[in-house]
Amino acid sequence: MQIGYPFHIDKRGRVADATYQEHIRHLIEQVLFTSPGERVNRPDFGTNLKQLIFNPNNEELAAAAQFMVQGALQQWLGDMIEVEALAIENQQACLAITVQYRVIGNPEPQVVQVSREA
């Protein structure tokens, strides 16, 4: 078992835990929604997705966001997952991301869908 994210205490009064699959999902969310500079000991950790929400929605923005997310996931989680597909939609004030991936050593495909409002 892994420590649950976000960190909290469960009903038993213990640190909440998560399965390995949930832990991987939480790591993906952390990479996507942490801005570079937010972590003191890893200033380059994360992506600038929060900044992209306010840019006009066009093909160039989608391509840049996809390249940025793919690179960040590869850099920070490349030893744990293999990204198979990535879709990013920027609609008004909402950024929706769908990541299809496989956990290394497990052939079963997984999908994470997350969104963030401005």
Side-chain angles (χ1 to χ4, degrees):
M1 287 294 198
Q2 308 289 325
I3 294 176
Y5 172 81
F7 181 83
H8 64 282
I9 304 300
D10 65 13
K11 294 177 183 177
R12 300 172 297 172
R14 300 178 184 170
V15 173
D17 55 13
T19 66
Y20 188 68
Q21 295 297 334
E22 292 169 332
H23 177 66
I24 296 291
R25 176 188 165 80
H26 297 158
L27 290 174
I28 291 171
E29 290 176 1
Q30 289 177 49
V31 169
L32 295 177
F33 296 122
T34 300
S35 294
E38 285 184 11
R39 295 205 174 173
V40 175
N41 293 325
R42 290 193 174 164
D44 55 341
F45 180 84
T47 63
N48 280 318
L49 284 176
K50 291 178 187 176
Q51 302 303 320
L52 296 181
I53 291 173
F54 301 106
N55 291 333
N57 189 12
N58 56 37
E59 290 181 23
E60 292 81 15
L61 177 68
Q66 186 161 355
F67 180 76
M68 178 178 45
V69 168
Q70 181 77 34
L73 290 173
Q74 178 61 38
Q75 178 181 3
W76 297 108
L77 301 178
D79 59 336
M80 301 172 87
I81 66 171
E82 178 183 339
V83 177
E84 295 183 332
L86 179 64
I88 298 177
E89 294 181 43
N90 188 355
Q91 298 175 346
Q92 296 178 359
C94 183
L95 186 66
I97 301 164
T98 303
V99 180
Q100 181 179 342
Y101 65 96
R102 291 183 193 272
V103 176
I104 303 282
N106 184 349
E108 185 179 327
Q110 303 289 321
V111 176
V112 171
Q113 295 178 321
V114 293
S115 62
R116 183 71 168 228
E117 291 188 28

